[in-house]
Amino acid sequence: MKNLEKIPNPVVKRLSKYLAHMQHLSKSNLKWVPSYKIARHLGLTSETIRQDLKYLDFYGVKKRGYHTTGLKNSLARLFEANSQIDIVLIGAGNIGCALVQHDEFREHGFVICEIFDSNPKKIGNKVDALVIQDINSLRTIIKEKNIKIGIIAVPAETAQQVADQLILYGIQGLLNFSPVHIMTPKSVPVTEMRMVDSLRELVYSMKQTRLKN
Amino acid sequence: MKNLEKIPNPVVKRLSKYLAHMQHLSKSNLKWVPSYKIARHLGLTSETIRQDLKYLDFYGVKKRGYHTTGLKNSLARLFEANSQIDIVLIGAGNIGCALVQHDEFREHGFVICEIFDSNPKKIGNKVDALVIQDINSLRTIIKEKNIKIGIIAVPAETAQQVADQLILYGIQGLLNFSPVHIMTPKSVPVTEMRMVDSLRELVYSMKQTRLKN
DNA sequence: TAGATTGTTAATCGATTAACAATC
DNA sequence: TAGATTGTTAATCGATTAACAATC
Protein backbone atom coordinates (compact mmCIF):
# COMPACT_ATOMS: atom_id res chain seq x y z
CA MET A 1 0.00 0.00 0.00
CA LYS A 2 1.20 3.49 -0.71
CA ASN A 3 2.94 5.72 1.78
CA LEU A 4 0.85 8.61 0.59
CA GLU A 5 -2.31 7.22 2.06
CA LYS A 6 -3.18 8.56 5.47
CA ILE A 7 -2.74 5.91 8.15
CA PRO A 8 -5.42 5.99 10.86
CA ASN A 9 -4.14 7.06 14.24
CA PRO A 10 -4.73 3.79 16.11
CA VAL A 11 -2.72 2.04 13.41
CA VAL A 12 0.12 4.58 13.67
CA LYS A 13 0.37 3.93 17.40
CA ARG A 14 0.65 0.21 16.83
CA LEU A 15 3.12 0.56 13.97
CA SER A 16 5.39 2.39 16.36
CA LYS A 17 5.16 -0.54 18.76
CA TYR A 18 6.06 -2.91 15.95
CA LEU A 19 9.13 -0.82 15.20
CA ALA A 20 10.30 -1.04 18.82
CA HIS A 21 9.68 -4.76 18.81
CA MET A 22 11.49 -5.34 15.50
CA GLN A 23 14.47 -3.34 16.75
CA HIS A 24 14.55 -5.67 19.71
CA LEU A 25 14.16 -8.86 17.66
CA SER A 26 16.68 -7.93 15.01
CA LYS A 27 19.17 -7.05 17.76
CA SER A 28 18.60 -10.57 19.15
CA ASN A 29 19.44 -11.95 15.69
CA LEU A 30 16.03 -13.40 15.12
CA LYS A 31 15.48 -13.43 11.36
CA TRP A 32 11.80 -14.26 10.96
CA VAL A 33 8.73 -13.73 13.07
CA PRO A 34 5.12 -14.69 12.32
CA SER A 35 2.28 -12.28 13.08
CA TYR A 36 0.89 -14.42 15.87
CA LYS A 37 4.13 -14.17 17.80
CA ILE A 38 4.24 -10.40 17.46
CA ALA A 39 0.63 -10.36 18.57
CA ARG A 40 1.30 -12.44 21.65
CA HIS A 41 4.13 -10.14 22.64
CA LEU A 42 2.18 -6.94 22.25
CA GLY A 43 -1.23 -8.01 23.46
CA LEU A 44 -2.87 -7.84 20.02
CA THR A 45 -4.33 -10.27 17.52
CA SER A 46 -2.49 -11.52 14.47
CA GLU A 47 -5.29 -10.29 12.21
CA THR A 48 -4.84 -6.74 13.44
CA ILE A 49 -1.14 -6.91 12.76
CA ARG A 50 -1.54 -8.20 9.22
CA GLN A 51 -4.12 -5.52 8.49
CA ASP A 52 -1.83 -2.83 9.89
CA LEU A 53 1.14 -3.93 7.82
CA LYS A 54 -0.88 -3.45 4.66
CA TYR A 55 -0.24 0.28 5.07
CA LEU A 56 3.44 -0.45 4.54
CA ASP A 57 5.15 -1.22 1.27
CA PHE A 58 6.41 -4.38 2.83
CA TYR A 59 5.26 -7.97 2.60
CA GLY A 60 5.63 -11.09 4.66
CA VAL A 61 6.40 -14.56 3.40
CA LYS A 62 3.91 -17.35 3.74
CA LYS A 63 4.93 -20.03 6.21
CA ARG A 64 7.76 -17.92 7.56
CA GLY A 65 6.24 -14.66 8.63
CA TYR A 66 8.00 -11.30 8.47
CA HIS A 67 11.68 -10.63 8.02
CA THR A 68 12.52 -8.72 11.20
CA THR A 69 15.23 -6.49 9.76
CA GLY A 70 13.23 -5.81 6.62
CA LEU A 71 10.16 -4.85 8.60
CA LYS A 72 12.27 -2.77 10.96
CA ASN A 73 13.73 -0.84 8.02
CA SER A 74 10.36 -0.30 6.43
CA LEU A 75 8.91 1.04 9.67
CA ALA A 76 11.99 3.15 10.30
CA ARG A 77 11.48 4.74 6.91
CA LEU A 78 7.87 5.52 7.74
CA PHE A 79 8.83 7.16 11.02
CA GLU A 80 11.98 8.81 9.64
CA ALA A 81 13.87 6.95 12.32
CA ASN A 82 17.16 6.71 10.47
CA SER A 83 18.26 10.27 10.95
CA GLN A 84 18.76 12.20 14.16
CA ILE A 85 15.90 14.50 15.11
CA ASP A 86 16.75 17.59 17.15
CA ILE A 87 14.38 18.85 19.79
CA VAL A 88 14.10 21.91 22.03
CA LEU A 89 12.66 21.51 25.49
CA ILE A 90 11.04 24.29 27.48
CA GLY A 91 10.89 24.06 31.26
CA ALA A 92 13.84 23.00 33.41
CA GLY A 93 11.71 21.48 36.17
CA ASN A 94 11.86 17.90 37.41
CA ILE A 95 10.29 16.41 34.34
CA GLY A 96 12.12 18.63 31.86
CA CYS A 97 15.54 17.83 33.31
CA ALA A 98 14.73 14.12 33.52
CA LEU A 99 13.79 14.08 29.85
CA VAL A 100 17.06 15.77 28.87
CA GLN A 101 18.92 13.01 30.66
CA HIS A 102 16.66 10.25 29.38
CA ASP A 103 18.92 7.94 27.38
CA GLU A 104 16.09 6.18 25.64
CA PHE A 105 15.31 9.26 23.57
CA ARG A 106 18.87 9.57 22.32
CA GLU A 107 19.08 5.84 21.63
CA HIS A 108 16.13 6.23 19.31
CA GLY A 109 17.49 9.25 17.49
CA PHE A 110 15.66 11.97 19.41
CA VAL A 111 18.17 14.47 20.72
CA ILE A 112 17.11 17.24 23.06
CA CYS A 113 19.77 19.73 22.12
CA GLU A 114 18.53 22.81 23.93
CA ILE A 115 16.75 23.42 27.22
CA PHE A 116 15.10 26.72 28.16
CA ASP A 117 13.59 28.23 31.24
CA SER A 118 12.32 31.65 32.27
CA ASN A 119 13.56 31.48 35.86
CA PRO A 120 16.74 33.60 36.18
CA LYS A 121 17.91 31.38 39.02
CA LYS A 122 18.03 28.40 36.70
CA ILE A 123 19.47 30.05 33.63
CA GLY A 124 23.15 29.19 33.23
CA ASN A 125 22.92 25.98 35.26
CA LYS A 126 23.81 22.76 33.55
CA VAL A 127 21.62 19.76 32.91
CA ASP A 128 23.78 16.94 31.66
CA ALA A 129 25.86 18.59 28.95
CA LEU A 130 23.33 21.36 28.30
CA VAL A 131 23.29 24.85 29.72
CA ILE A 132 19.84 26.16 30.60
CA GLN A 133 19.13 29.02 28.22
CA ASP A 134 17.09 32.14 28.71
CA ILE A 135 13.73 31.68 27.08
CA ASN A 136 14.28 35.00 25.32
CA SER A 137 16.88 33.41 23.09
CA LEU A 138 14.40 30.80 21.85
CA ARG A 139 13.85 32.48 18.51
CA THR A 140 17.44 32.72 17.35
CA ILE A 141 18.34 29.19 18.43
CA ILE A 142 15.34 27.60 16.76
CA LYS A 143 16.09 29.42 13.53
CA GLU A 144 19.83 28.81 13.60
CA LYS A 145 19.60 25.11 14.32
CA ASN A 146 16.45 24.69 12.25
CA ILE A 147 14.68 22.72 14.97
CA LYS A 148 11.26 21.31 14.19
CA ILE A 149 10.03 19.74 17.43
CA GLY A 150 9.42 21.28 20.84
CA ILE A 151 8.72 19.56 24.14
CA ILE A 152 6.60 21.51 26.60
CA ALA A 153 7.48 20.74 30.20
CA VAL A 154 6.24 23.91 31.90
CA PRO A 155 3.30 24.25 34.31
CA ALA A 156 -0.27 24.49 33.07
CA GLU A 157 -0.44 28.26 33.43
CA THR A 158 2.28 29.02 30.90
CA ALA A 159 1.94 26.06 28.54
CA GLN A 160 -0.26 27.71 25.92
CA GLN A 161 1.83 30.84 25.87
CA VAL A 162 5.04 28.85 25.41
CA ALA A 163 3.39 26.90 22.61
CA ASP A 164 2.35 30.12 20.88
CA GLN A 165 5.92 31.38 20.98
CA LEU A 166 7.37 28.13 19.67
CA ILE A 167 4.93 28.13 16.79
CA LEU A 168 5.67 31.76 16.00
CA TYR A 169 9.35 30.86 15.74
CA GLY A 170 8.71 28.04 13.31
CA ILE A 171 8.31 24.89 15.40
CA GLN A 172 6.25 22.32 13.53
CA GLY A 173 5.24 19.80 16.17
CA LEU A 174 4.79 19.69 19.94
CA LEU A 175 5.02 17.03 22.61
CA ASN A 176 3.11 18.35 25.61
CA PHE A 177 3.81 17.17 29.15
CA SER A 178 1.71 19.91 30.74
CA PRO A 179 -1.78 18.95 31.88
CA VAL A 180 -3.67 21.38 29.65
CA HIS A 181 -4.84 20.99 26.08
CA ILE A 182 -2.69 23.05 23.74
CA MET A 183 -4.42 24.86 20.90
CA THR A 184 -2.48 25.09 17.67
CA PRO A 185 -3.15 25.78 14.00
CA LYS A 186 -3.89 22.65 11.97
CA SER A 187 -0.38 22.83 10.54
CA VAL A 188 1.20 22.12 13.94
CA PRO A 189 0.30 18.71 15.39
CA VAL A 190 0.47 18.12 19.13
CA THR A 191 0.84 14.89 21.05
CA GLU A 192 -0.28 15.13 24.65
CA MET A 193 1.34 13.07 27.38
CA ARG A 194 -1.34 13.62 30.08
CA MET A 195 0.28 11.79 32.94
CA VAL A 196 -2.39 12.52 35.54
CA ASP A 197 -5.11 11.49 33.10
CA SER A 198 -3.30 8.20 32.56
CA LEU A 199 -3.46 7.52 36.28
CA ARG A 200 -7.16 8.37 36.28
CA GLU A 201 -7.73 6.02 33.35
CA LEU A 202 -5.94 3.34 35.31
CA VAL A 203 -8.05 3.99 38.42
CA TYR A 204 -11.18 3.65 36.32
CA SER A 205 -9.98 0.37 34.79
CA MET A 206 -9.21 -0.97 38.24
CA LYS A 207 -12.68 -0.01 39.42
CA GLN A 208 -14.20 -1.81 36.44
CA THR A 209 -12.10 -4.87 37.14
CA ARG A 210 -13.22 -4.88 40.79
CA LEU A 211 -16.88 -4.69 39.79
CA LYS A 212 -16.57 -7.57 37.36
CA ASN A 213 -15.06 -9.96 39.91
CA MET B 1 -26.99 6.64 32.98
CA LYS B 2 -25.78 4.09 35.46
CA ASN B 3 -22.29 3.93 36.85
CA LEU B 4 -22.35 0.19 36.44
CA GLU B 5 -22.26 0.35 32.70
CA LYS B 6 -18.82 0.03 31.18
CA ILE B 7 -17.63 3.31 29.71
CA PRO B 8 -15.72 2.94 26.42
CA ASN B 9 -12.04 3.80 26.68
CA PRO B 10 -12.03 6.84 24.40
CA VAL B 11 -14.83 8.27 26.51
CA VAL B 12 -12.94 7.61 29.75
CA LYS B 13 -9.95 9.50 28.41
CA ARG B 14 -12.11 12.50 27.59
CA LEU B 15 -14.00 12.39 30.89
CA SER B 16 -10.66 12.74 32.62
CA LYS B 17 -9.97 15.84 30.56
CA TYR B 18 -13.34 17.25 31.54
CA LEU B 19 -12.47 16.71 35.19
CA ALA B 20 -9.24 18.65 34.84
CA HIS B 21 -11.06 21.42 33.02
CA MET B 22 -13.87 21.61 35.58
CA GLN B 23 -11.36 21.77 38.40
CA HIS B 24 -9.84 24.72 36.62
CA LEU B 25 -13.15 26.46 35.93
CA SER B 26 -14.57 25.96 39.39
CA LYS B 27 -11.36 27.34 40.88
CA SER B 28 -11.85 30.41 38.67
CA ASN B 29 -15.33 30.74 40.15
CA LEU B 30 -17.10 30.17 36.91
CA LYS B 31 -20.49 28.67 37.78
CA TRP B 32 -21.88 27.50 34.44
CA VAL B 33 -20.34 26.38 31.19
CA PRO B 34 -22.09 25.24 27.99
CA SER B 35 -20.83 22.23 26.07
CA TYR B 36 -19.63 24.27 23.12
CA LYS B 37 -17.25 26.22 25.34
CA ILE B 38 -15.80 23.06 26.86
CA ALA B 39 -15.47 21.74 23.34
CA ARG B 40 -13.60 24.79 22.11
CA HIS B 41 -11.19 24.56 24.99
CA LEU B 42 -10.41 20.90 24.54
CA GLY B 43 -10.45 20.60 20.77
CA LEU B 44 -13.64 18.55 20.64
CA THR B 45 -17.20 19.02 19.44
CA SER B 46 -20.12 19.86 21.71
CA GLU B 47 -22.01 16.79 20.50
CA THR B 48 -19.23 14.50 21.67
CA ILE B 49 -19.24 16.12 25.07
CA ARG B 50 -22.98 15.79 25.54
CA GLN B 51 -22.83 12.15 24.47
CA ASP B 52 -19.98 11.49 26.88
CA LEU B 53 -21.74 13.06 29.82
CA LYS B 54 -24.63 10.66 29.35
CA TYR B 55 -22.46 8.05 31.04
CA LEU B 56 -22.60 10.15 34.19
CA ASP B 57 -25.48 10.48 36.59
CA PHE B 58 -25.36 14.20 36.03
CA TYR B 59 -27.40 16.52 33.88
CA GLY B 60 -27.00 19.95 32.40
CA VAL B 61 -29.56 22.72 32.35
CA LYS B 62 -30.98 23.96 29.10
CA LYS B 63 -29.88 27.47 28.20
CA ARG B 64 -27.24 27.50 30.90
CA GLY B 65 -25.07 24.49 30.29
CA TYR B 66 -23.35 22.50 33.04
CA HIS B 67 -22.78 23.50 36.62
CA THR B 68 -19.00 23.40 36.86
CA THR B 69 -18.74 22.33 40.49
CA GLY B 70 -21.50 19.78 40.11
CA LEU B 71 -19.88 18.25 37.06
CA LYS B 72 -16.52 18.31 38.76
CA ASN B 73 -17.92 16.42 41.74
CA SER B 74 -19.66 13.88 39.57
CA LEU B 75 -16.48 13.22 37.59
CA ALA B 76 -14.41 13.13 40.77
CA ARG B 77 -16.71 10.42 42.09
CA LEU B 78 -16.29 8.40 38.91
CA PHE B 79 -12.51 8.61 39.14
CA GLU B 80 -12.41 8.24 42.94
CA ALA B 81 -10.59 11.55 42.99
CA ASN B 82 -11.73 12.62 46.45
CA SER B 83 -9.47 10.37 48.44
CA GLN B 84 -5.71 10.12 48.38
CA ILE B 85 -4.33 7.25 46.34
CA ASP B 86 -1.00 5.80 47.39
CA ILE B 87 1.47 4.56 44.82
CA VAL B 88 4.78 2.70 44.82
CA LEU B 89 7.36 3.53 42.20
CA ILE B 90 10.08 1.19 41.03
CA GLY B 91 13.23 2.59 39.47
CA ALA B 92 15.13 5.54 40.89
CA GLY B 93 16.45 6.75 37.55
CA ASN B 94 15.91 10.18 36.02
CA ILE B 95 12.27 9.63 35.24
CA GLY B 96 11.47 7.81 38.46
CA CYS B 97 12.96 10.53 40.65
CA ALA B 98 11.30 13.28 38.62
CA LEU B 99 7.92 11.63 39.09
CA VAL B 100 8.42 11.41 42.85
CA GLN B 101 9.05 15.14 42.90
CA HIS B 102 6.25 15.92 40.45
CA ASP B 103 3.85 18.20 42.36
CA GLU B 104 1.03 17.75 39.91
CA PHE B 105 0.51 14.15 41.02
CA ARG B 106 0.20 15.13 44.66
CA GLU B 107 -2.08 18.03 43.82
CA HIS B 108 -4.44 15.56 42.22
CA GLY B 109 -4.39 13.09 45.08
CA PHE B 110 -1.80 10.67 43.73
CA VAL B 111 0.94 10.23 46.30
CA ILE B 112 4.05 8.25 45.48
CA CYS B 113 4.85 7.13 48.98
CA GLU B 114 7.63 4.64 48.30
CA ILE B 115 10.45 4.43 45.78
CA PHE B 116 12.50 1.28 45.14
CA ASP B 117 15.62 0.40 43.23
CA SER B 118 17.85 -2.65 42.92
CA ASN B 119 21.10 -0.71 42.68
CA PRO B 120 22.92 -0.90 46.05
CA LYS B 121 24.58 2.43 45.30
CA LYS B 122 21.22 4.15 45.21
CA ILE B 123 19.56 2.40 48.14
CA GLY B 124 19.48 4.68 51.17
CA ASN B 125 19.74 7.89 49.16
CA LYS B 126 16.91 10.36 49.45
CA VAL B 127 14.59 11.61 46.74
CA ASP B 128 12.59 14.48 48.11
CA ALA B 129 11.36 13.16 51.44
CA LEU B 130 11.61 9.51 50.42
CA VAL B 131 14.46 7.11 51.07
CA ILE B 132 15.19 4.75 48.19
CA GLN B 133 14.32 1.26 49.40
CA ASP B 134 15.83 -2.08 48.51
CA ILE B 135 13.59 -3.79 46.01
CA ASN B 136 13.69 -6.86 48.25
CA SER B 137 11.48 -5.11 50.77
CA LEU B 138 8.77 -4.53 48.17
CA ARG B 139 6.54 -7.30 49.44
CA THR B 140 6.28 -6.22 53.06
CA ILE B 141 5.76 -2.56 52.28
CA ILE B 142 3.03 -3.19 49.71
CA LYS B 143 1.20 -5.46 52.14
CA GLU B 144 1.64 -3.20 55.15
CA LYS B 145 0.52 -0.05 53.43
CA ASN B 146 -2.03 -1.84 51.30
CA ILE B 147 -0.88 -0.11 48.12
CA LYS B 148 -2.82 -0.81 44.93
CA ILE B 149 -0.94 1.03 42.17
CA GLY B 150 2.62 0.63 40.95
CA ILE B 151 4.58 2.85 38.59
CA ILE B 152 7.24 1.11 36.54
CA ALA B 153 10.18 3.37 35.74
CA VAL B 154 12.87 0.78 35.15
CA PRO B 155 14.63 -0.04 31.84
CA ALA B 156 13.02 -2.30 29.25
CA GLU B 157 15.02 -5.35 30.25
CA THR B 158 13.67 -5.57 33.79
CA ALA B 159 10.20 -4.10 33.33
CA GLN B 160 8.29 -7.36 32.92
CA GLN B 161 10.06 -8.97 35.82
CA VAL B 162 9.31 -6.02 38.10
CA ALA B 163 5.68 -6.12 37.01
CA ASP B 164 5.47 -9.83 37.81
CA GLN B 165 6.77 -9.19 41.31
CA LEU B 166 4.39 -6.29 41.92
CA ILE B 167 1.45 -8.40 40.83
CA LEU B 168 2.58 -11.30 42.99
CA TYR B 169 2.60 -8.97 45.98
CA GLY B 170 -0.95 -7.78 45.33
CA ILE B 171 -0.64 -4.67 43.17
CA GLN B 172 -3.83 -4.16 41.16
CA GLY B 173 -2.86 -1.66 38.48
CA LEU B 174 0.29 -0.49 36.72
CA LEU B 175 1.44 2.69 35.05
CA ASN B 176 4.30 1.77 32.77
CA PHE B 177 6.97 4.26 31.71
CA SER B 178 9.23 1.58 30.25
CA PRO B 179 9.17 1.14 26.48
CA VAL B 180 8.02 -2.48 26.46
CA HIS B 181 4.53 -3.92 26.58
CA ILE B 182 3.82 -5.40 30.00
CA MET B 183 1.89 -8.65 30.11
CA THR B 184 -0.48 -9.04 33.04
CA PRO B 185 -3.47 -11.19 34.01
CA LYS B 186 -6.80 -9.65 33.03
CA SER B 187 -7.34 -8.65 36.65
CA VAL B 188 -4.45 -6.18 36.56
CA PRO B 189 -4.90 -3.32 34.11
CA VAL B 190 -1.90 -1.47 32.71
CA THR B 191 -1.65 1.99 31.24
CA GLU B 192 1.39 2.51 29.06
CA MET B 193 3.10 5.89 28.80
CA ARG B 194 5.21 5.12 25.68
CA MET B 195 7.16 8.34 25.46
CA VAL B 196 9.29 7.38 22.46
CA ASP B 197 6.21 6.15 20.61
CA SER B 198 4.54 9.50 21.26
CA LEU B 199 7.43 11.24 19.56
CA ARG B 200 7.17 8.84 16.63
CA GLU B 201 3.45 9.50 16.37
CA LEU B 202 4.23 13.21 16.32
CA VAL B 203 6.84 12.75 13.60
CA TYR B 204 4.32 10.88 11.51
CA SER B 205 1.68 13.59 11.98
CA MET B 206 4.21 16.22 10.97
CA LYS B 207 5.07 14.24 7.85
CA GLN B 208 1.39 14.00 6.97
CA THR B 209 0.95 17.72 7.51
CA ARG B 210 3.91 18.44 5.24
CA LEU B 211 2.49 16.25 2.47
CA LYS B 212 -0.88 17.93 2.62
CA ASN B 213 0.52 21.45 2.17
C1' DT C 1 -41.89 35.00 23.64
C1' DA C 2 -37.72 33.72 21.03
C1' DG C 3 -33.37 31.86 21.23
C1' DA C 4 -30.04 28.97 23.18
C1' DT C 5 -28.73 24.77 24.66
C1' DT C 6 -29.60 20.25 26.30
C1' DG C 7 -30.56 15.12 25.73
C1' DT C 8 -31.57 11.53 22.59
C1' DT C 9 -32.40 8.97 18.49
C1' DA C 10 -30.80 7.84 13.97
C1' DA C 11 -27.26 7.84 10.35
C1' DT C 12 -22.60 7.64 9.19
C1' DC C 13 -18.15 6.62 9.53
C1' DG C 14 -14.18 3.95 10.81
C1' DA C 15 -11.80 0.19 12.97
C1' DT C 16 -11.62 -4.50 14.33
C1' DT C 17 -12.64 -9.23 13.76
C1' DA C 18 -13.93 -13.20 11.09
C1' DA C 19 -13.43 -16.03 7.26
C1' DC C 20 -10.95 -17.96 3.79
C1' DA C 21 -8.45 -18.46 -0.61
C1' DA C 22 -3.70 -18.41 -2.02
C1' DT C 23 0.70 -20.44 -1.60
C1' DC C 24 5.39 -21.21 0.24
C1' DT D 1 2.46 -33.27 -0.07
C1' DA D 2 0.29 -31.21 4.06
C1' DG D 3 0.36 -27.64 7.16
C1' DA D 4 1.26 -23.05 8.39
C1' DT D 5 0.83 -18.50 7.56
C1' DT D 6 0.01 -14.66 4.69
C1' DG D 7 -3.03 -11.09 2.34
C1' DT D 8 -7.62 -9.70 1.38
C1' DT D 9 -12.53 -9.41 1.27
C1' DA D 10 -16.69 -9.30 3.93
C1' DA D 11 -19.18 -8.91 8.31
C1' DT D 12 -19.44 -6.97 12.69
C1' DC D 13 -18.84 -3.96 16.08
C1' DG D 14 -18.25 0.51 18.17
C1' DA D 15 -17.67 5.43 18.18
C1' DT D 16 -18.64 9.83 16.23
C1' DT D 17 -21.50 13.01 13.92
C1' DA D 18 -25.89 14.76 12.42
C1' DA D 19 -30.44 15.99 13.26
C1' DC D 20 -33.89 17.57 15.99
C1' DA D 21 -37.51 17.64 19.58
C1' DA D 22 -37.85 19.33 24.20
C1' DT D 23 -37.63 23.18 27.16
C1' DC D 24 -35.56 26.65 30.27
Side-chain angles (χ1 to χ4, degrees):
Chain A
M1 217 170 278
K2 276 287 86 57
N3 262 345
L4 300 166
E5 187 174 350
K6 193 187 161 293
I7 306 177
N9 206 257
V11 178
V12 173
K13 282 194 207 308
R14 286 192 300 265
L15 288 174
S16 174
K17 290 189 191 179
Y18 306 159
L19 174 52
H21 191 47
M22 288 310 119
Q23 285 171 333
H24 173 71
L25 292 182
S26 86
K27 219 183 291 172
S28 335
N29 287 316
L30 188 72
K31 279 240 169 61
W32 295 91
V33 63
S35 56
Y36 73 88
K37 279 196 185 167
I38 305 175
R40 212 166 44 195
H41 231 89
L42 302 180
L44 303 166
T45 69
S46 62
E47 293 89 339
T48 302
I49 289 172
R50 291 201 301 280
Q51 288 280 27
D52 288 350
L53 297 185
K54 283 172 64 186
Y55 288 98
L56 257 42
D57 230 343
F58 179 84
Y59 294 86
V61 174
K62 290 186 214 300
K63 271 206 71 168
R64 261 186 280 183
Y66 299 89
H67 187 79
T68 54
T69 314
L71 181 50
K72 184 192 74 180
N73 290 336
S74 179
L75 287 162
R77 216 158 24 243
L78 180 77
F79 288 114
E80 303 177 348
N82 288 319
S83 47
Q84 177 178 317
I85 298 180
D86 290 340
I87 298 179
V88 292
L89 183 146
I90 322 294
N94 300 312
I95 299 291
C97 294
L99 294 174
V100 167
Q101 298 171 82
H102 191 48
D103 291 331
E104 211 197 299
F105 282 160
R106 205 168 299 112
E107 283 160 15
H108 288 86
F110 295 103
V111 177
I112 299 174
C113 58
E114 300 286 345
I115 178 167
F116 293 86
D117 204 289
S118 59
N119 184 343
K121 286 187 183 144
K122 289 183 178 175
I123 295 165
N125 290 355
K126 283 187 109 177
V127 183
D128 239 22
L130 301 183
V131 176
I132 300 174
Q133 309 278 325
D134 188 326
I135 203 165
N136 292 322
S137 47
L138 245 182
R139 166 171 235 147
T140 32
I141 291 178
I142 289 176
K143 303 260 171 190
E144 265 173 25
K145 300 207 169 182
N146 189 27
I147 295 171
K148 300 288 198 303
I149 294 182
I151 295 182
I152 296 181
V154 300
E157 306 81 49
T158 43
Q160 181 64 55
Q161 174 194 330
V162 163
D164 293 343
Q165 275 191 75
L166 285 166
I167 294 167
L168 189 64
Y169 302 159
I171 283 290
Q172 288 165 22
L174 295 172
L175 184 67
N176 176 29
F177 279 83
S178 94
V180 294
H181 176 79
I182 298 281
M183 289 183 261
T184 62
K186 276 193 314 305
S187 58
V188 182
V190 186
T191 300
E192 314 259 359
M193 289 306 297
R194 312 219 127 251
M195 300 196 294
V196 168
D197 285 358
S198 297
L199 277 173
R200 295 218 187 288
E201 203 185 317
L202 180 64
V203 167
Y204 180 79
S205 305
M206 289 165 68
K207 192 174 156 186
Q208 268 314 112
T209 309
R210 276 198 316 272
L211 291 177
K212 254 192 315 226
N213 302 335
Chain B
M1 218 171 278
K2 277 285 85 57
N3 261 346
L4 299 164
E5 186 174 348
K6 193 187 161 294
I7 305 177
N9 206 257
V11 179
V12 172
K13 282 194 208 305
R14 286 193 299 264
L15 288 173
S16 174
K17 290 188 192 178
Y18 305 159
L19 174 52
H21 191 47
M22 288 310 118
Q23 286 170 333
H24 174 69
L25 292 183
S26 86
K27 220 183 290 172
S28 335
N29 287 317
L30 188 72
K31 279 240 169 62
W32 296 92
V33 63
S35 56
Y36 74 88
K37 278 195 186 169
I38 304 176
R40 213 167 43 195
H41 230 89
L42 302 179
L44 304 165
T45 70
S46 62
E47 293 90 340
T48 302
I49 288 172
R50 291 201 302 279
Q51 289 280 27
D52 288 350
L53 296 184
K54 283 173 64 184
Y55 288 98
L56 257 42
D57 231 340
F58 179 83
Y59 293 86
V61 173
K62 290 187 215 298
K63 272 207 72 169
R64 261 186 282 184
Y66 299 90
H67 187 78
T68 53
T69 315
L71 181 50
K72 185 191 74 178
N73 290 336
S74 179
L75 287 162
R77 216 157 26 243
L78 180 77
F79 288 113
E80 303 177 349
N82 288 319
S83 47
Q84 176 176 319
I85 298 180
D86 290 339
I87 298 178
V88 293
L89 184 147
I90 322 296
N94 300 312
I95 299 292
C97 295
L99 294 174
V100 167
Q101 298 172 80
H102 191 47
D103 291 332
E104 210 196 301
F105 281 161
R106 206 168 300 113
E107 284 160 16
H108 288 87
F110 295 105
V111 176
I112 299 173
C113 58
E114 300 286 343
I115 178 169
F116 293 86
D117 204 288
S118 60
N119 184 343
K121 285 187 184 145
K122 289 184 179 174
I123 295 164
N125 290 354
K126 283 187 109 177
V127 183
D128 238 21
L130 302 182
V131 176
I132 299 174
Q133 310 277 326
D134 188 326
I135 203 165
N136 291 322
S137 46
L138 244 183
R139 166 170 235 146
T140 33
I141 291 178
I142 289 177
K143 303 258 172 192
E144 265 173 25
K145 300 208 169 182
N146 190 27
I147 295 172
K148 300 289 198 304
I149 295 182
I151 296 182
I152 296 180
V154 300
E157 305 83 49
T158 44
Q160 181 65 55
Q161 176 194 328
V162 163
D164 293 344
Q165 275 191 74
L166 285 167
I167 293 167
L168 190 63
Y169 302 159
I171 282 290
Q172 288 165 21
L174 296 171
L175 184 67
N176 177 29
F177 279 83
S178 93
V180 293
H181 176 80
I182 298 281
M183 288 182 262
T184 63
K186 276 193 312 305
S187 58
V188 182
V190 186
T191 301
E192 314 259 0
M193 288 307 297
R194 312 218 128 253
M195 300 196 293
V196 168
D197 285 357
S198 298
L199 277 174
R200 294 216 186 290
E201 204 185 315
L202 180 63
V203 167
Y204 180 79
S205 304
M206 290 166 67
K207 193 174 156 185
Q208 269 313 115
T209 309
R210 275 198 315 273
L211 291 177
K212 255 194 310 226
N213 302 336

